[in-house]
Amino acid sequence: MEQNKTNQQNELFHIGKDSNKDSLKVDSRIQNRTNQFLNNQDADQLKKNLSEHSEASRKEIKNQKFSKNRNYEAKDQSETDNIKNPPSEKIEHTITQAQSLWDEGIDFMDYYLFLKNTKFEITDFPLLQELIKSDKDHNILLAVVGLRKLLSLVDNPPRQCVVDADLLPQLITLTNKKNAPKIQFEALWCLTNIACGKAEHVETLVDKGVIPILISFLGTTQGKEDKTKTNIDLDPHKIVEQSIWALGNIAVEDAHYKVKILKEGALKPLGNILQKAEPNTILARNCVWCICNLLRDKPFPKLGELFYLIPIISECLKTNDKNQILTDGIWALYYISEVGEKTNTVMIQCGLIEILKTYIKHSDNSIVLLCVKIFGNFVLREENETQDVIDAEVLPHLHDLLLHQDKIIIRETCWTLSNICAGPTDHISALIKCGIIDKLIELIEADEYGIRSEAGWCISNATAQKNAEIVEEIVSKKGIEAMCCLLKSKIEVKTAIILLEGIKNCLDVGQQSFINEEGFNKFALIFENCGGLDTIEKFYAHEDHLIYQVAEEIIESYFLVGVNFDEDEVDKIHQF
């Protein structure tokens, strides 16, 4: 039974043996393993689950109306470190005072600072609605700052009011007011907060043609961010940063919008910005997050765009150490690794194995888990890529993860190892050499069912080529006893079949190479002595034909021919 390595529909799954039985073909196993691992959750739910060990995912942050609403002023980078708990603005002034102040002759830039410290109420909305239509820049500035503040409210921001008042065309037009960058910036901020709303709000924005306008800002700056400028000076990077934020909000809402953004050519400008962004800045964080949203789910971007991004994101992981940037960067690489079609080859050539080896020991469990998932995709398709992983000495790290406190990480590590076990004998020998097979057998006998099942797939896969040395090693570590122990549990049909096949592989090797002086199959005796025949009895009458068939093959080949499991025949079996 030849092992297969493949990936179908870019899902997570286990590899098993092609047994020439319809329901055991690779494609059916793919769906089974996908459903078992993901528990029928969509990708968004999975991302939330994987992120629960660290900071909330950006999708969660959107739902909480925090970071994407940006209801705060970041006067320096330190104020944005804890994005989930942004500092409140210091409110000192009223809208009436602001209007009076302009009449007294205040400078425009000072006026902007005054407005940033002015309190706006929902009752001010009608006035703001009128002021935004003014031909005076100071009135427009007051209006967009006020609207932005109202749209940044955590509870009941007036997004629908803005839509119903038909203010979106005016706000979109103001984003092109290059002679007044403060107005331009605040208008973009308003659009960002509207894009953080319900699906119908995002749909309205897209219908108004906001996507190409936002993308047009991505190429408006060159070089690195000017840290000498304050928010009042408005470094042009702030405009770009806000545009990226809005695009990210739109992209995460619906795959259809993501496709529109991709077709407008947003990925390469985003990659260029990330490449030049100062490490650990809001610009770097927003950029890698937006890229991550654009890579998530099908349809995937063009291969050329992915090849362009891989080295940029890889370098981003080297130069940044903020958890949000690392998490989104590794998520982006995971999505790329799901594509296949030579993307993994490029990722390995860019040195990502060594980078991921560093982060697989990270204190943030979500980052660790993502690294394991990427390694799982590296060893999924091509044997030479699996060999690259082995040569880079990743196996000792995977061995250590089998001792991790997080059960999800252990289970995902087992999935990765099962695909290595589905490879050639030298790969399996490498697993034996570093003690992984021993640990997997321990997990089958001692851990929770989900992990035991995953580990069982590993051991069964490792027997598939019926290599005498490998099978002997597995049997000597009590691999047969472990598989029998798992069979006694309440397990899924597919897992039961895989374990029965693993046992049959061991018995086949025993018949060929391990006969004792009395002429008996040593491995068959081990199987019988650990209660294997009693275990098979329940499968022999199983309603699933494939389980019955494998159980029958084991009995007829190594114990009795044409057995019927009544009490007399069971006694005969135990007399063997």
Side-chain angles (χ1 to χ4, degrees), residues 138-275:
H138 70 278
N139 286 332
I140 298 174
L141 182 64
L142 188 153
V144 290
V145 171
L147 287 173
R148 184 264 297 171
K149 284 176 172 283
L150 294 180
L151 289 168
S152 296
L153 293 173
V154 173
D155 297 320
N156 301 317
R159 297 188 184 95
Q160 193 59 47
C161 294
V162 172
V163 173
D164 293 342
D166 199 28
L167 297 184
L168 288 184
Q170 184 69 21
L171 288 170
I172 291 172
T173 299
L174 291 175
T175 64
N176 198 39
K177 197 173 178 62
K178 298 180 180 179
N179 63 329
K182 299 164 192 61
I183 293 175
Q184 188 181 23
F185 175 73
E186 292 288 342
L188 280 168
W189 196 332
C190 289
L191 296 179
T192 299
N193 288 353
I194 293 170
C196 193
K198 297 179 180 179
E200 54 264 32
H201 299 143
V202 181
E203 181 180 11
T204 303
L205 277 176
V206 174
D207 290 344
K208 297 292 184 182
V210 75
I211 287 177
I213 293 173
L214 294 172
I215 292 175
S216 69
F217 290 114
L218 302 185
T220 57
T221 62
Q222 298 293 329
K224 296 184 177 180
E225 184 174 3
D226 187 353
K227 289 188 173 183
T228 64
K229 292 191 175 184
T230 66
N231 280 343
I232 301 304
D233 294 327
L234 273 182
D235 177 7
H237 283 82
K238 299 296 181 183
I239 302 291
V240 176
E241 174 191 299
Q242 195 61 245
S243 302
I244 293 171
W245 206 320
L247 285 170
N249 280 352
I250 294 170
V252 81
E253 184 62 47
D254 188 276
H256 179 64
Y257 305 146
K258 184 195 85 166
V259 171
K260 282 181 173 288
I261 295 172
L262 290 174
K263 286 184 177 180
E264 291 287 341
L267 268 186
K268 285 196 174 181
L270 285 169
N272 185 50
I273 293 167
L274 179 60
Q275 191 172 33

Side-chain angles (χ1 to χ4, degrees), residues 8-213:
Q8 181 148 329
Q9 300 177 348
N10 297 294
E11 297 287 353
L12 301 178
F13 57 89
H14 263 282
I15 301 300
K17 307 176 289 294
D18 185 354
S19 62
N20 297 319
K21 301 169 185 175
D22 290 343
S23 67
L24 280 185
K25 290 180 180 177
V26 172
D27 56 352
S28 68
R29 288 190 178 189
I30 290 170
Q31 189 60 47
N32 174 261
R33 305 305 295 167
T34 301
N35 290 340
Q36 180 176 347
F37 184 77
L38 297 182
N39 193 26
N40 295 313
Q41 296 176 336
D42 61 27
D44 189 43
Q45 290 173 310
L46 177 62
K47 183 171 181 180
K48 289 182 181 179
N49 288 340
L50 296 181
S51 300
E52 67 186 4
H53 304 287
S54 62
E55 298 178 59
S57 69
R58 297 303 290 269
K59 177 68 175 177
E60 289 175 302
I61 293 173
K62 175 182 176 181
N63 292 337
Q64 295 169 354
K65 311 293 190 301
F66 279 133
S67 67
K68 296 183 185 179
N69 279 358
R70 294 192 59 188
N71 56 340
Y72 64 97
E73 300 292 343
K75 296 184 173 55
D76 56 51
Q77 183 63 30
S78 63
E79 290 189 7
T80 66
D81 287 346
N82 187 356
I83 196 69
K84 292 179 65 179
N85 297 290
S88 301
E89 292 178 330
K90 184 178 180 182
I91 304 300
E92 298 176 343
H93 315 299
T94 66
I95 189 171
T96 303
Q97 290 174 321
Q99 288 180 294
S100 299
L101 189 63
W102 180 259
D103 295 335
E104 296 174 7
I106 190 174
D107 176 82
F108 194 80
M109 295 183 70
D110 291 338
Y111 188 53
Y112 182 46
L113 179 59
F114 189 91
L115 292 175
K116 285 161 66 72
N117 292 317
T118 297
K119 184 177 182 179
F120 292 84
E121 304 285 355
I122 291 294
T123 53
D124 296 324
F125 185 84
L127 175 61
L128 301 178
Q129 182 181 349
E130 292 301 318
L131 291 176
I132 199 172
K133 300 173 184 178
S134 170
D135 57 357
K136 304 294 185 182
D137 280 358
H138 70 278
N139 286 332
I140 298 174
L141 182 64
L142 188 153
V144 290
V145 171
L147 287 173
R148 184 264 297 171
K149 284 176 172 283
L150 294 180
L151 289 168
S152 296
L153 293 173
V154 173
D155 297 320
N156 301 317
R159 297 188 184 95
Q160 193 59 47
C161 294
V162 172
V163 173
D164 293 342
D166 199 28
L167 297 184
L168 288 184
Q170 184 69 21
L171 288 170
I172 291 172
T173 299
L174 291 175
T175 64
N176 198 39
K177 197 173 178 62
K178 298 180 180 179
N179 63 329
K182 299 164 192 61
I183 293 175
Q184 188 181 23
F185 175 73
E186 292 288 342
L188 280 168
W189 196 332
C190 289
L191 296 179
T192 299
N193 288 353
I194 293 170
C196 193
K198 297 179 180 179
E200 54 264 32
H201 299 143
V202 181
E203 181 180 11
T204 303
L205 277 176
V206 174
D207 290 344
K208 297 292 184 182
V210 75
I211 287 177
I213 293 173

Side-chain angles (χ1 to χ4, degrees), residues 503-522:
I503 290 170
K504 186 177 183 302
N505 293 335
C506 293
L507 299 182
D508 289 346
V509 172
Q511 190 66 26
Q512 294 171 3
S513 306
F514 297 94
I515 303 298
N516 66 14
E517 295 177 354
E518 289 78 22
F520 293 118
N521 182 334
K522 293 181 180 180

Side-chain angles (χ1 to χ4, degrees), residues 320-331:
N320 291 270
D321 56 17
K322 295 287 185 183
N323 271 22
Q324 283 185 317
I325 296 176
L326 295 178
T327 301
D328 286 329
I330 297 176
W331 263 113

Side-chain angles (χ1 to χ4, degrees), residues 442-454:
E442 290 179 18
L443 290 174
I444 293 175
E445 295 180 317
D447 220 302
E448 64 180 27
Y449 169 71
I451 293 173
R452 296 175 69 200
S453 176
E454 300 288 340

Side-chain angles (χ1 to χ4, degrees), residues 327-576:
T327 301
D328 286 329
I330 297 176
W331 263 113
L333 291 173
Y334 167 69
Y335 294 140
I336 295 174
S337 74
E338 285 280 276
V339 175
E341 298 186 68
K342 302 180 180 179
T343 55
N344 286 350
T345 300
V346 176
M347 293 172 76
I348 291 171
Q349 289 173 348
C350 286
L352 264 170
I353 292 179
E354 290 299 325
I355 295 173
L356 294 174
K357 273 176 59 180
T358 299
Y359 290 115
I360 207 171
K361 298 178 287 187
H362 201 276
S363 59
D364 186 328
N365 285 354
S366 66
I367 291 176
V368 175
L369 186 56
L370 284 170
C371 291
V372 176
K373 290 166 74 68
I374 296 174
F375 280 131
N377 283 340
F378 283 174
V379 302
L380 188 61
R381 299 177 178 90
E382 302 293 335
E383 289 183 1
N384 62 311
E385 292 173 356
T386 302
Q387 190 62 54
D388 289 335
V389 171
I390 294 173
D391 291 343
E393 299 182 349
V394 174
L395 295 186
H397 296 284
L398 296 179
H399 175 276
D400 291 344
L401 291 180
L402 294 176
L403 306 172
H404 204 279
Q405 293 181 345
D406 190 297
K407 300 295 185 180
I408 298 176
I409 289 176
I410 297 176
R411 190 173 63 181
E412 185 68 15
T413 302
C414 288
W415 175 77
T416 297
L417 292 170
S418 75
N419 290 322
I420 300 176
C421 288
T425 56
D426 55 334
H427 293 174
I428 303 171
S429 296
L431 296 175
I432 293 173
K433 184 177 180 180
C434 68
I436 285 177
I437 294 297
D438 303 56
K439 185 57 184 174
L440 288 169
I441 291 173
E442 290 179 18
L443 290 174
I444 293 175
E445 295 180 317
D447 220 302
E448 64 180 27
Y449 169 71
I451 293 173
R452 296 175 69 200
S453 176
E454 300 288 340
W457 276 76
C458 293
I459 299 304
S460 179
N461 280 355
T463 68
Q465 296 192 43
K466 301 181 182 180
N467 178 277
E469 292 183 3
I470 289 174
V471 171
E472 181 184 21
E473 183 69 22
I474 290 172
V475 172
S476 71
K477 303 295 184 182
K478 299 186 180 299
I480 290 178
E481 291 92 331
M483 287 188 282
C484 286
C485 178
L486 184 53
L487 279 171
K488 294 174 184 177
S489 307
K490 185 177 180 180
I491 57 177
E492 294 181 350
V493 170
K494 296 290 185 181
T495 302
I497 294 171
I498 292 304
L499 293 171
L500 287 170
E501 288 186 342
I503 290 170
K504 186 177 183 302
N505 293 335
C506 293
L507 299 182
D508 289 346
V509 172
Q511 190 66 26
Q512 294 171 3
S513 306
F514 297 94
I515 303 298
N516 66 14
E517 295 177 354
E518 289 78 22
F520 293 118
N521 182 334
K522 293 181 180 180
F523 297 167
L525 291 174
I526 292 173
F527 175 71
E528 197 270 343
N529 288 334
C530 72
L533 292 176
D534 289 333
T535 303
I536 281 187
E537 178 181 0
K538 67 178 181 181
F539 294 119
Y540 201 82
H542 199 280
E543 61 183 10
D544 187 280
H545 176 71
L546 290 172
I547 288 185
Y548 164 81
Q549 191 173 22
V550 179
E552 183 181 50
E553 288 177 5
I554 292 174
I555 296 298
E556 291 187 351
S557 297
Y558 298 107
F559 299 98
L560 290 176
V561 177
V563 65
N564 292 313
F565 274 103
D566 56 32
E567 291 184 5
D568 293 338
E569 296 298 343
V570 173
D571 289 339
K572 291 179 182 179
I573 291 173
H574 282 285
Q575 291 171 7
F576 170 74

